[in-house]
């Protein structure tokens, strides 16, 4: 598997692929050879025995070098099998569900899974401290026969698939672009150079015999004011561009 980790390769499946292929294949009987290959990509691990920052070292071969996200299969806990709630405590904190679960849809608009978003807190509830570590937990579902017009879904509980990641305000860590502050400095430098070039020679020298600013100075100051206003708008637009156009998580429920 290490031979395939060449520069540029990245494991970035869609939600539909996670549920329809990886999770459903894990839940099916048979296909042992395929499951062995999948275990090298998405291993089985009880993530609640570890703190989230320790999980990347246990990720699959194609995700160990990833700095954004890591995937794991989680077997159903005994408490869940008995009808109880899963235990999501670690040695230093706990995972807390946020918002309402949402459906995962296929490209044909069929409901194929259920997604729950969780945030990791340091400490113990209710006085924990929120961290940047987050998780999407996916469970596969299949509709059961019902006479009602509203479909009834039944969860497949044997395994769930979890995506662990750290909250980021950029589109992708590998999409290298200048940060807004770096862009602002570069634009300010270019603006100063342009203003110096455009001003007539001697316009920057003080004139002790004149108390009123010259026409060239007034025009230069006006140009700089317009340039500064345009620069601020460009920086604000760049900051807006850095906001994610899409995200795996739900909207902000806090």
């Amino acid at each position: 598997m290490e031979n395939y980790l060449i520069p540029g390769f990245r494991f970035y499946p869609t939600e539909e692929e996670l549920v329809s292929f990886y999770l459903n294949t894990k839940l099916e009987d048979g296909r042992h050879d395929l499951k062995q290959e999948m275990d090298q990509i998405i291993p089985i691990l009880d993530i609640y025995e570890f703190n989230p920052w320790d999980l990347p070292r246990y990720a699959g071969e194609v995700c160990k070098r990833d700095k954004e996200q890591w995937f794991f299969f989680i077997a159903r806990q005994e408490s869940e099998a008995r009808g109880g709630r899963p235990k999501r405590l670690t040695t230093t904190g706990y995972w807390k569900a946020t918002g309402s679960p949402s459906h995962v849809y296929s490209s044909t608009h069929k409901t194929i899974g259920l997604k729950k978003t969780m945030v990791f807190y340091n400490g113990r509830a209710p006085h924990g401290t929120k961290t940047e570590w987050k998780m999407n937990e996916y469970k596969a579902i299949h509709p059961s026969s019902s006479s009602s017009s509203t479909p009834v879904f039944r969860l497949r509980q044997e395994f769930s698939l979890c995506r662990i990641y750290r909250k980021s305000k950029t589109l992708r860590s590998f999409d290298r672009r200048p940060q807004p502050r770096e862009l602002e400095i570069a634009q300010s430098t270019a603006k100063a150079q342009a203003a110096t070039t455009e001003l007539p020679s001697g316009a920057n020298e003080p004139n002790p015999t004149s108390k009123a600013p010259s026409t060239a100075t007034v025009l230069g100051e006006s140009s700089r004011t317009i340039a500064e206003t345009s620069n601020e708008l460009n920086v604000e637009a760049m900051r807006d561009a850095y906001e994610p156009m899409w995200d795996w998580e739900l909207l902000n429920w806090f």
Side-chain angles (χ1 to χ4, degrees):
M1 188 64 67
E2 288 290 341
N3 296 332
Y4 296 98
L5 295 180
I6 58 178
F9 177 83
R10 200 156 185 268
F11 182 65
Y12 212 97
T14 64
E15 290 188 328
E16 179 183 4
E17 292 168 339
L18 286 175
V19 176
S20 63
F21 178 76
Y22 290 98
L23 185 52
N24 280 338
T25 301
K26 192 68 177 177
L27 293 168
E28 291 175 1
D29 295 329
R31 311 188 71 178
H32 300 294
D33 293 341
L34 177 58
K35 290 181 180 180
Q36 289 179 358
E37 292 291 334
M38 285 175 45
D39 288 342
Q40 298 182 43
I41 301 174
I42 305 179
I44 302 174
L45 184 73
D46 185 358
I47 63 172
Y48 302 115
E49 293 184 357
F50 306 91
N51 294 312
W53 47 86
D54 296 325
L55 291 174
R57 72 182 68 173
Y58 300 103
E61 295 295 336
V62 296
C63 293
K64 282 186 177 179
R65 297 182 184 180
D66 202 322
K67 298 184 181 299
E68 279 191 336
Q69 58 183 358
W70 306 270
F71 301 89
F72 301 95
F73 286 118
I74 303 178
R76 178 171 52 181
Q77 298 180 5
E78 292 184 5
S79 59
E80 289 182 284
R82 294 193 297 266
R85 300 179 61 182
K87 297 179 181 179
R88 298 194 174 102
L89 293 176
T90 70
T91 56
T92 63
Y94 59 96
W95 289 96
K96 179 182 178 182
T98 176
S100 302
S102 61
H103 289 154
V104 178
Y105 298 95
S106 68
S107 56
T108 57
H109 308 293
K110 293 183 179 180
T111 305
I112 59 175
L114 194 70
K115 178 178 73 172
K116 182 180 295 184
T117 302
M118 284 173 270
V119 180
F120 186 77
Y121 286 76
N122 277 320
R124 289 292 180 258
H127 305 293
T129 303
K130 184 180 177 181
T131 71
E132 63 180 2
W133 289 91
K134 309 193 79 173
M135 171 170 61
N136 293 140
E137 180 189 65
Y138 299 94
K139 290 184 179 293
I141 61 178
H142 53 81
S144 60
S145 58
S146 174
S147 58
S148 173
S149 58
T150 303
V152 178
F153 300 104
R154 181 163 53 91
L155 288 175
R156 305 182 67 178
Q157 300 277 10
E158 297 88 344
F159 282 97
S160 59
L161 195 159
C162 289
R163 170 184 178 257
I164 308 295
Y165 63 102
R166 285 180 291 191
K167 186 177 180 181
S168 173
K169 292 185 178 181
T170 60
L171 296 180
R172 304 175 182 88
S173 65
F174 61 86
D175 187 10
R176 302 302 180 190
R177 298 179 182 177
Q179 296 298 320
R181 179 56 182 168
E182 297 174 356
L183 182 65
E184 183 177 359
I185 294 174
Q187 289 181 340
S188 298
T189 303
K191 176 197 66 178
Q193 293 176 349
T196 304
T197 303
E198 291 173 1
L199 288 177
S201 60
N204 291 330
E205 298 178 359
N207 186 1
T209 62
S210 176
K211 296 182 181 180
S214 64
T215 303
T217 303
V218 173
L219 293 176
E221 291 295 331
S222 300
S223 300
R224 282 194 290 271
T225 301
I226 296 173
E228 288 173 357
T229 303
S230 177
N231 178 56
E232 292 175 357
L233 294 175
N234 289 336
V235 171
E236 290 298 325
M238 190 63 183
R239 290 197 182 101
D240 293 338
Y242 268 78
E243 291 300 321
M245 299 175 62
W246 55 266
D247 199 352
W248 289 70
E249 60 185 296
L250 302 177
L251 297 177
N252 185 15
W253 300 291
F254 300 103

